[in-house]
Amino acid sequence: MAMATVTVRVYLTEEFKQGPVLVSASTCIEALRSLVAQHPVLKGIILTEELRLKRDYIYLLNGKSIEFLGKEDALLKDGDTISLFPPIGGG
């Protein structure tokens, strides 16, 4: 698979107040693992200890839920944007 350069945006985390991060990857999970490799503080936040997607986070690829795009194996192309949102609580 060809590597793509994509932008990853992490929203609403106290631990990570950095702007967009560029990573190279073929799939969503590869991109997020690359992000965690660059910024280890995110490991237990956006990915599990086994480096899988956390079920309670919202993962979007170009504004669409990756649940409908192949989940963590969703293929990436140059210029894509992955956005991560924490679970939203309410009451």
Side-chain angles (χ1 to χ4, degrees):
M1 275 184 257
M3 295 288 260
T5 300
V6 299
T7 302
V8 182
R9 298 176 182 270
V10 180
Y11 292 97
L12 304 173
T13 60
E14 288 299 316
E15 297 83 359
F16 191 76
K17 295 199 176 284
Q18 186 166 327
V21 177
L22 288 177
V23 298
S24 292
S26 310
T27 63
C28 278
I29 193 65
E30 287 176 13
L32 297 178
R33 288 174 179 160
S34 179
L35 176 70
V36 167
Q38 291 178 42
H39 303 280
V41 69
L42 291 172
K43 183 176 182 186
I45 298 171
I46 65 167
L47 296 178
T48 66
E49 289 300 313
E50 297 78 33
L51 297 177
R52 306 302 291 184
L53 295 179
K54 282 200 132 174
R55 294 285 167 224
D56 49 353
Y57 257 71
I58 299 166
Y59 303 87
L60 302 179
L61 175 57
N62 299 324
K64 296 183 176 103
S65 173
I66 66 167
E67 288 295 313
F68 306 107
L69 301 172
K71 299 189 182 184
E72 58 189 36
D73 296 322
L75 297 177
L76 302 174
K77 62 187 182 315
D78 281 335
D80 281 351
T81 299
I82 299 171
S83 303
L84 309 175
F85 295 91
I88 299 172

